[in-house]
Amino acid sequence: MTSTIPSIAAGTWPERVGIIAIEGYFPNSCIKQTDLEAHDGVPGKYTVGLGQQTMGFCGDNEDVNSLCLTALQMLVDKNKMSYNDIGRLEVGTETVIDKSKSVKTVLMQLFAEHGNTNVDGLETRNACYGGTQALFNSVAWVESSAWDGRFAVVITADIAIYASGSARPTGGAGAIAMLIGPNAPLYVERGLRSIHMEHVYDFYKPDLCSEYPVVHGKLSLQCYLSALDTCYERYKEQFLKRATTDAPFTVESADWFAFHSPFCKLVQKGFARLMLNDFVSCDFTRSKTPSLWNGLDSFKDKKMEETYFDKDTEKAFLKASGSLYEKKVSPGMLLARENGNMYTASLYGGVISLIAQKTADELAGTRLVLFSYGSGLASAMFSLKFDTDVSQNSSLTALVRSASGVVERLDSRKCYSPAEFEATLMLREQAHMKAPYTPKSGNFNLFPGTFYLAKVDDVHRRTYERNAVPSEFKLKVAKQPIVAPIQQVNSITNGVVNGH
């Protein structure tokens, strides 16, 4: 598939900027939550209580750099791209292994092999929100006077790991890489973005000598739900301003929803809360399905700030929203449920999960609303739309193909016992920031083509190698290469930019 990048003429700028291709990476090691429940003596707590099934985890041979190296190389290989066609690379992560050197600069070794050092962008960080800001920045670059006709790549990646205790089952690890450009099959809806940010200590990592965060669980849940309320209210206002009718936006108005997912049950509660917002604001009165709202009259005078931990309200709206959740949210919960929390990559794991499990026909012309949250806190709600062209050589068909293989790779992982899982995390704890260090895991139990940490020298310089790709390994690649035809783009310094 060849992306068509328009010439820049007076008053003409790139349209439908968004995701052209997407790739996901998660580790080959995992643990079943049922096994962890049995080991911890809490049957049902992690599966029923949190909504989790399996959790991915990394050995001492993987870090955030290796995750990003792997995701980027997979994106380029699968889409038969050239590194010279990438003009911006931005990484969103909260996993810090160096207080100065960015992950993006580590990734530049892949570009250097092709002679491309002219790559804009760096690293964006604020808990789980950094990936979203990296996406916003990259979309803005393509739409701006700085754009040089090449693609942007956004990589969101983290290793979510907790000290032994109640939070440990909400871990995970992974990376999502997205190719950003114009005429995208999944594009950002302009003018439909709401933001909410404030100062709070709900989850943070003040100890740079440890991978483990400080978590204030109840406060963190309240902050997430409060930010969701605010972002949803503002998104609804923006939607109504741009709508061709006076019908308000409700949970019925979008085809799909994706949420940042610390654990799956919180997403269910979050979606139920959107329905509660619609009910309290009376926007539900113009519902196309009045029966959805039956039996909820006793909640009409509820004040949103008093309902965060109101079990009666929560139970009623979880039940009322259940059918819509299964239809609009559940298709995007695959990675969250089967791999766990990936911090910055969590939300975009929802995007690739949806695409990987739906056909181009099912996605065509639909709207996906996303809620992004990062502790501290930063949050946003925005929406993407899928193109309508489902022909064999369309960009939407290529996007669906680029997301293929996720389910198959999830099913092929190796599951470990709780004792092996705990030993691996102890090994990571002992190895954290150690120099010199040679990972004891070597290149053991990695997917073909995975980058891994080979060694750390005595001054903390990290060296990475790539696991062998067997001749029989088949990568599902694009039928046609994705190419940035820079020659079609007029000079951006010709004075046109003055009006932008």
Side-chain angles (χ1 to χ4, degrees):
M1 184 270 290
T2 300
S3 176
T4 303
I5 298 184
S7 297
I8 299 177
T12 302
W13 291 90
E15 295 292 334
R16 298 192 310 171
V17 178
I19 302 171
I20 293 174
I22 188 167
E23 182 58 62
Y25 171 75
F26 40 84
N28 197 22
S29 304
C30 66
I31 181 171
K32 292 185 179 298
Q33 294 281 10
T34 50
D35 291 343
L36 200 54
E37 287 175 335
H39 178 265
D40 294 345
V42 287
K45 184 174 182 179
Y46 310 147
T47 51
V48 179
L50 297 177
Q52 303 300 121
Q53 293 299 318
T54 314
M55 178 170 53
F57 64 94
C58 299
D60 65 337
N61 57 351
E62 292 191 271
D63 61 17
V64 67
N65 290 339
S66 69
L67 265 58
C68 290
L69 284 164
T70 301
L72 176 57
Q73 189 65 58
M74 289 174 66
L75 180 74
V76 171
D77 287 348
K78 181 178 285 189
N79 295 287
K80 301 179 182 178
M81 291 178 57
S82 167
Y83 276 97
N84 291 311
D85 281 345
I86 300 172
R88 182 182 181 89
L89 173 64
E90 187 151 353
V91 177
T93 184
E94 66 171 86
T95 305
V96 178
I97 55 177
D98 191 291
K99 291 182 286 185
S100 176
K101 183 175 174 60
S102 69
V103 176
K104 186 265 180 75
T105 60
V106 175
L107 300 181
M108 286 307 299
Q109 61 191 295
L110 299 181
F111 291 81
E113 296 172 6
H114 302 269
N116 181 13
T117 60
N118 182 16
V119 183
D120 203 347
L122 268 176
E123 187 174 303
T124 305
R125 180 173 64 88
N126 184 86
C128 304
Y129 187 81
T132 292
Q133 192 61 57
L135 175 63
F136 290 166
N137 293 347
S138 295
V139 168
W141 177 75
V142 175
E143 293 179 337
S144 77
S145 60
W147 184 54
D148 64 2
R150 294 182 293 168
F151 294 120
V153 169
V154 172
I155 302 180
T156 65
D158 276 300
I159 297 174
I161 187 171
Y162 296 86
S164 181
S166 59
R168 178 158 280 187
T170 62
I176 304 294
M178 295 171 281
L179 185 68
I180 308 300
N183 301 317
L186 180 56
Y187 57 92
V188 177
E189 288 196 280
R190 287 181 174 176
L192 287 177
R193 180 195 303 178
S194 60
I195 303 292
H196 173 68
M197 300 197 183
E198 62 176 283
H199 169 58
V200 64
Y201 281 107
D202 57 329
F203 169 111
Y204 50 104
K205 296 179 179 178
D207 184 359
L208 296 180
C209 294
S210 171
E211 288 191 285
Y212 305 141
V214 175
V215 184
H216 299 290
K218 187 174 182 179
L219 175 60
S220 186
L221 296 179
Q222 180 175 327
C223 288
Y224 180 101
L225 296 174
S226 174
L228 176 62
D229 290 344
T230 303
C231 285
Y232 188 52
E233 179 182 1
R234 291 172 181 169
Y235 180 89
K236 286 159 67 83
E237 291 172 354
Q238 292 181 356
F239 186 90
L240 194 57
K241 289 178 181 178
R242 290 161 177 78
T244 55
T245 70
D246 61 351
F249 183 94
T250 70
V251 290
E252 296 178 80
S253 303
D255 302 281
W256 322 103
F257 287 85
F259 294 75
H260 168 57
S261 181
F263 54 91
C264 295
K265 186 56 69 74
L266 181 57
V267 172
Q268 287 182 268
K269 293 179 180 180
F271 183 71
R273 196 163 182 85
L274 298 188
M275 192 170 180
L276 172 62
N277 272 273
D278 291 338
F279 188 78
V280 171
S281 66
C282 295
D283 287 341
F284 76 97
T285 57
R286 299 177 67 172
S287 171
K288 297 178 182 178
T289 314
S291 60
L292 279 173
W293 312 89
N294 289 344
L296 299 174
D297 288 348
S298 61
F299 300 97
K300 64 181 180 180
D301 295 323
K302 285 284 185 179
K303 295 181 179 179
M304 297 300 298
E305 64 272 16
E306 298 175 356
T307 61
Y308 299 126
F309 303 105
D310 183 331
K311 292 299 181 182
D312 290 337
T313 301
E314 179 183 288
K315 183 177 179 180
F317 282 87
L318 278 171
K319 181 179 179 180
S321 63
S323 60
L324 284 181
Y325 175 87
E326 289 302 319
K327 179 181 179 181
K328 297 173 181 281
V329 185
S330 187
M333 295 300 293
L334 175 66
L335 275 177
R337 184 177 62 249
E338 301 297 338
N339 185 55
N341 187 6
M342 300 185 290
Y343 288 162
T344 57
S346 173
L347 176 61
Y348 302 98
V351 176
I352 196 171
S353 293
L354 172 65
I355 299 171
Q357 297 182 98
K358 295 296 178 180
T359 65
D361 287 319
E362 291 173 311
L363 297 172
T366 60
R367 172 181 284 117
L368 169 62
V369 174
L370 302 94
F371 172 64
S372 182
Y373 177 83
S375 293
L377 61 82
S379 59
M381 182 170 284
F382 60 105
S383 51
L384 308 175
K385 287 206 75 173
F386 287 95
D387 193 17
T388 57
D389 185 356
V390 296
S391 61
Q392 185 175 0
N393 293 322
S394 70
S395 58
L396 178 56
T397 300
L399 175 66
V400 172
R401 190 181 299 116
S402 79
S404 65
V406 170
V407 177
E408 181 180 338
R409 276 186 283 128
L410 281 171
D411 292 342
S412 70
R413 292 174 300 170
K414 181 177 180 180
C415 288
Y416 288 86
S417 69
E420 292 170 316
F421 166 68
E422 291 185 345
T424 300
L425 265 57
M426 180 56 68
L427 179 60
R428 288 189 61 89
E429 184 176 320
Q430 295 169 349
H432 185 65
M433 306 308 292
K434 190 174 180 180
Y437 183 74
T438 300
K440 293 180 171 58
S441 302
N443 64 348
F444 176 71
N445 195 35
L446 300 171
F447 283 119
T450 299
F451 283 88
Y452 63 94
L453 177 64
K455 67 176 181 178
V456 183
D457 72 12
D458 58 351
V459 289
H460 294 271
R461 291 177 298 197
R462 294 175 176 242
T463 300
Y464 299 89
E465 296 179 4
R466 193 180 187 196
N467 201 30
V469 181
S471 58
E472 67 273 14
F473 180 70
K474 302 292 184 181
L475 183 69
K476 296 182 179 179
V477 299
K479 289 186 176 181
Q480 298 178 351
I482 293 181
V483 181
I486 302 174
Q487 65 273 17
Q488 294 186 19
V489 182
N490 293 339
S491 171
I492 301 185
T493 59
N494 63 3
V496 177
V497 299
N498 295 333
H500 184 65

